[in-house]
Amino acid sequence: MDLNSRIPVGPIQQKWDRHRFELKLVNPANKRKYSVIVVGSGLAGASAAATLSELGYHVKCFCFQDSPRRAHSIAAQGGINAAKNYQNDGDSIWRLFYDTVKGGDFRAREANVYRLAQISVNIIDQCVAQGVPFAREYGGLLANRSFGGAQVSRTFYARGQTGQQLLLGAYQALEKEIARGGVTMFPRTEMLDLIVINGRARGIVARDMVTGRVESHLADAVVLGTGGYGNVFYLSTNAKGSNATAIWRAHKRGALFSNPCYTQIHPTCIPVSGEYQSKLTLMSESLRNDGRVWVPKQRGDRRPPDQIPEAERDYYLERKYPSFGNLAPRDIASRAAKEVCDDGRGVGPNGLGVFLDFADAIKRLGEDRIRERYGNLFEMYQRITDENPYRAPMRIFPAVHYTMGGLWVDYDLMSTIPGLFVIGEANFSDHGANRLGASALMQGLADGYFILPYTIGDYLAGAKLEKADSNQGDVISTEGAVNERVLRLLSIKGRRTVDSFHRELGKLMWDKCGMARSAEGLREGIQRIPALREEFWQNVNVPGSDAELNQALEKAGRVADFLELGELMCRDALHREESCGGHFRVEHQTEDGEAKRDDDSFAYVAAWEWRGDNAEPCLSREPLTFENVQLATRSYK
Ligand SMILES: Cc1cc2nc3c(=O)[nH]c(=O)nc-3n(C[C@H](O)[C@H](O)[C@H](O)COP(=O)(O)OP(=O)(O)OC[C@H]3O[C@@H](n4cnc5c(N)ncnc54)[C@H](O)[C@@H]3O)c2cc1C
């Protein structure tokens, strides 16, 4: 397929302004004639739904939680980047742009990233105006801290609850529009398919999760802000409910899926503690501002940390990456942790952990200051591990955290299905092969508050849409397919639980398509996943009925999708014969174990097309050109 990214011409600094001027407008009176469906009410969805409604469009907004306030965005801890340069430490839009392109290992579109850096400054103004309580300095000015992959302090934060505070801002904007009648909210309603009429996205089929009623909703355009798919690995830092269903079903209706294998493994999570654990907990990257990462120099050293003298400790990030130290980007810090653990120097009961130590910072700043900065994170750590991080170093280990892949979108955030827009973590757009910390919130809010509201108008003004109604064949057949699938899941009555399939898939994904990938392992994954999928459809047991709240049924639908997506991830990882960012192929590494890119062969966005249940997906390529940032080996030394 020919992928037209619609990147505007002209100097990078002027592309977005020029594009905004050239986009068609819908006049205020005409906006009332259009309706838009927004699936998702996390930061991306809530900001988009509220803004579209403020502009005058009729909006229907859907989420599977009981309230938009419970979207996974609420979990975000550390902060949100913006090139405000309040610290006067050398930051600029250009530097944020450069850091993000480099951080993504040169696998993101320059034009998108530049626009993101430009818009970052507006986001902070918008959120402050909403009353988001960002941390402030003693004198009342907004405070900043540093995140990985940057040598400036540009991260705005609200203690360890930045996502929660930002979501409250977006949620209030959304609630205002719900109360005004501009947005109709459908909580506990899950999108199970996309309705495509005459090649355009015109609606969704959704299931009321309380009554089980399946219903079609029609509109002039559909927006998916449905989050990431890290839970394909079963264990991840994502909320348990996060899933791929909305984007996967849209993929099967024709939306291309980009870079599915680009997964972010976050270096700073509480280590796995047992076979039956169902969730992993993030310890925010912000902790690496003050915490120092180390392991014993000696293999198998089991002494408690306070008995290991300074000279016998290896502060390996500071040693290997002196310019960035403990704030090396996530992919690099994760791999370094794996390397020391593989070398037999890991800590904790199973040797799969490294220390994150605050002793120096407490000595320098005092315990109160550290409590002020990270109090809730320390408390969370103590509750989960029963260890006091003010007294002993935390133990951390990498875990699946974020998915850079997602549905392919052009510069206007429109997928390959006209009328289907994708925002936030659900699209592939801005982070290349590795997202820098504090950039997901920035992207979700840039998409929802500042980009989509312009670009969707251009589509609606030019689309010449016919009236769609629920008696049309495409609507009836899509609804029929959803009902049939629900009944099929319930009728299998096999012997294995949904969770047991999910756990098995997750382990396979982690082993074969996780932090280190090899051609041999990926081929094994591609062979084993279809067999597991086959068994799922023969042997899964979904108790209960479809006419009630049935969490096993919800999970079964999502796991069925993960069982297809997982295979695509392995295929994507196998075809990309290079290492870049979070995609580390053991065959492609430098002598000192760093990722080795192959720009001649792989400087492109991979976009996969669904070809049917038993057919191999088809790959299209969108070449990436770098005119403003020089392609170079990424170094944080
Ligand atoms: C523990 C943790 C901490 C993080 N901390 C940070 C941080 O400090 N800074 C940062 O920049 N990023 C952080 N991130 C990443 C960031 O939080 C997410 O990438 C971001 O919040 C995603 O927002 P979203 O709006 O795209 O999706 P989400 O917040 O995941 O929202 C998805 C929405 O879609 C709805 N939905 C999904 N599927 C369906 C369906 N089929 N039908 C109906 N509704 C559906 C859900 O109900 C929900 O409303 C963190 C991530 C984690 C896991």
Side-chain angles (χ1 to χ4, degrees):
M1 185 182 283
D2 192 19
L3 293 169
N4 180 1
S5 53
R6 297 190 70 203
I7 295 173
V9 293
I12 198 160
Q13 296 91 335
Q14 292 164 21
K15 282 182 195 289
W16 177 231
D17 284 347
R18 183 177 171 163
H19 191 57
R20 274 195 300 170
F21 177 68
E22 286 170 357
L23 288 172
K24 290 188 205 80
L25 294 176
V26 181
N27 90 46
N30 282 346
K31 288 199 180 87
R32 285 196 291 275
K33 296 180 189 156
Y34 289 108
S35 57
V36 180
I37 284 174
V38 178
V39 187
S41 60
L43 282 175
S47 57
T51 310
L52 292 173
S53 171
E54 282 167 8
L55 286 170
Y57 297 108
H58 291 286
V59 178
K60 280 184 173 183
C61 183
F62 296 78
C63 71
F64 62 71
Q65 288 92 352
D66 58 349
S67 157
R69 268 186 62 178
R70 285 193 226 288
H72 160 67
S73 289
I74 207 156
Q77 301 170 346
I80 175 167
N81 286 331
K84 284 283 198 189
N85 193 28
Y86 282 167
Q87 305 307 318
N88 199 22
D89 57 357
D91 202 10
S92 62
I93 287 171
W94 194 269
R95 190 177 292 281
L96 175 52
F97 157 64
Y98 174 81
D99 286 350
T100 309
V101 173
K102 176 182 168 193
D105 217 350
F106 303 90
R107 291 292 175 263
R109 269 189 209 139
E110 276 192 341
N112 283 52
V113 179
Y114 192 85
R115 173 176 65 183
L116 179 64
Q118 274 177 310
I119 289 174
S120 69
V121 296
N122 305 112
I123 297 172
I124 301 304
D125 296 343
Q126 162 90 351
C127 297
V128 169
Q130 287 174 339
V132 171
F134 284 124
R136 289 179 183 265
E137 307 281 4
Y138 177 72
L141 302 175
L142 291 175
N144 291 122
R145 56 189 176 199
S146 302
F147 258 61
Q151 288 175 309
V152 294
S153 285
R154 60 161 75 100
T155 305
F156 294 76
Y157 63 100
R159 243 187 15 167
Q161 307 175 339
T162 316
Q164 177 170 348
Q165 299 305 330
L166 291 171
L167 190 62
L168 286 173
Y171 167 75
Q172 285 171 41
L174 179 63
E175 282 296 313
K176 170 172 78 66
E177 291 305 301
I178 294 172
R180 197 183 60 77
V183 178
T184 310
M185 188 71 217
F186 293 81
R188 286 204 161 179
T189 310
E190 183 167 27
M191 166 186 166
L192 293 181
D193 216 331
L194 180 77
I195 297 172
V196 181
I197 301 175
N198 296 331
R200 291 180 189 274
R202 294 303 303 270
I204 61 168
V205 177
R207 179 173 177 272
D208 181 319
M209 292 155 76
V210 180
T211 64
R213 182 156 178 245
V214 170
E215 203 181 353
S216 299
H217 300 263
L218 299 173
D220 298 307
V222 177
V223 180
L224 302 183
T226 48
Y229 52 87
N231 279 343
V232 65
F233 290 88
Y234 187 69
L235 284 181
S236 89
T237 63
N238 289 192
K240 282 293 285 175
S242 295
N243 68 86
T245 287
I247 55 171
W248 189 251
R249 307 278 167 100
H251 172 58
K252 291 172 83 169
R253 294 274 167 204
L256 265 53
F257 205 119
S258 271
N259 302 334
C261 80
Y262 287 171
T263 309
Q264 175 156 89
I265 317 278
H266 198 300
T268 324
C269 304
I270 299 181
V272 177
S273 63
E275 267 294 293
Y276 286 94
Q277 191 167 346
S278 60
K279 175 85 185 70
L280 292 175
T281 306
L282 175 76
M283 287 286 105
S284 166
E285 181 163 301
S286 61
L287 293 169
R288 289 195 274 141
N289 271 269
D290 288 308
R292 297 180 70 196
V293 178
W294 65 276
V295 288
K297 280 187 180 164
Q298 237 181 66
R299 288 194 188 124
D301 188 340
R302 290 275 167 258
R303 284 175 293 174
D306 60 346
Q307 286 172 30
I308 303 180
E310 219 26 63
E312 292 176 40
R313 299 175 175 193
D314 180 11
Y315 293 91
Y316 58 89
L317 288 176
E318 296 171 28
R319 170 174 59 79
K320 289 179 74 172
Y321 309 103
S323 337
F324 284 71
N326 294 295
L327 282 172
R330 292 175 181 178
D331 54 335
I332 287 176
S334 290
R335 268 199 296 281
K338 180 174 184 303
E339 197 179 282
V340 292
C341 292
D342 288 352
D343 189 37
R345 295 190 289 136
V347 302
N350 54 11
L352 293 177
V354 300
F355 290 128
L356 179 63
D357 195 339
F358 292 86
D360 282 354
I362 291 175
K363 214 181 289 164
R364 195 175 68 246
L365 303 165
E367 196 172 309
D368 286 347
R369 197 68 195 281
I370 294 298
R371 184 168 283 112
E372 225 173 67
R373 286 184 187 170
Y374 314 111
N376 66 319
L377 300 172
F378 275 51
E379 192 186 322
M380 196 159 83
Y381 182 85
Q382 187 160 6
R383 284 203 191 165
I384 292 173
T385 62
D386 200 24
E387 291 168 19
N388 179 351
Y390 294 101
R391 301 281 161 270
M394 290 182 177
R395 281 178 300 110
I396 52 165
F397 194 68
V400 171
H401 179 64
Y402 181 90
T403 43
M404 281 77 69
L407 291 187
W408 184 90
V409 287
D410 63 15
Y411 189 71
D412 287 345
L413 305 180
M414 189 158 84
S415 71
T416 48
I417 301 178
L420 178 69
F421 292 79
V422 192
I423 58 178
E425 194 175 337
N427 72 25
F428 88 102
S429 70
D430 296 354
H431 308 292
N434 171 60
R435 173 176 71 81
L436 287 187
S439 290
L441 304 182
M442 173 172 72
Q443 183 225 328
L445 291 178
D447 290 358
Y449 282 132
F450 295 107
I451 301 173
L452 179 86
Y454 290 101
T455 58
I456 204 168
D458 182 68
Y459 169 75
L460 292 170
K464 296 202 175 52
L465 297 165
E466 289 146 20
K467 197 167 164 26
D469 78 72
S470 50
N471 295 321
Q472 268 172 287
D474 293 317
V475 182
I476 293 168
S477 65
T478 313
E479 208 175 296
V482 167
N483 279 316
E484 199 180 293
R485 189 181 159 98
V486 167
L487 292 179
R488 189 172 161 211
L489 285 167
L490 285 163
S491 68
I492 300 167
K493 299 278 177 256
R495 298 158 71 97
R496 280 185 70 178
T497 62
V498 177
D499 269 357
S500 82
F501 282 102
H502 194 179
R503 196 179 290 121
E504 187 174 336
L505 172 70
K507 182 150 184 351
L508 191 65
M509 292 300 294
W510 178 251
D511 290 346
K512 309 296 172 200
C513 195
M515 234 190 314
R517 302 152 175 196
S518 68
E520 194 192 347
L522 290 164
R523 282 199 193 99
E524 194 186 323
I526 292 168
Q527 208 194 343
R528 282 173 56 192
I529 294 171
L532 186 63
R533 195 163 62 226
E534 174 97 15
E535 195 199 335
F536 173 90
W537 284 104
Q538 303 291 330
N539 198 21
V540 73
N541 185 8
V542 183
S545 84
D546 62 336
E548 60 185 345
L549 183 71
N550 185 341
Q551 290 192 312
L553 179 60
E554 291 158 21
K555 273 198 265 180
R558 296 168 189 172
V559 171
D561 293 334
F562 282 144
L563 281 162
E564 292 174 351
L565 169 60
E567 184 185 336
L568 185 69
M569 291 169 73
C570 291
R571 285 188 187 281
D572 187 43
L574 180 64
H575 108 280
R576 192 167 277 280
E577 287 284 353
E578 64 164 353
S579 293
C580 54
H583 168 62
F584 191 73
R585 282 284 301 269
V586 292
E587 303 91 339
H588 304 288
Q589 52 181 309
T590 61
E591 270 172 18
D592 46 2
E594 305 286 356
K596 196 164 154 197
R597 290 197 327 260
D598 176 355
D599 294 330
D600 291 338
S601 311
F602 290 98
Y604 62 76
V605 175
W608 296 90
E609 186 182 349
W610 174 262
R611 300 281 283 271
D613 282 334
N614 298 313
E616 282 196 15
C618 174
L619 174 65
S620 300
R621 297 173 176 84
E622 178 202 333
L624 290 168
T625 44
F626 295 89
E627 290 164 356
N628 299 277
V629 173
Q630 211 190 339
L631 269 170
T633 302
R634 199 163 150 239
S635 167
Y636 293 92
K637 295 188 167 158

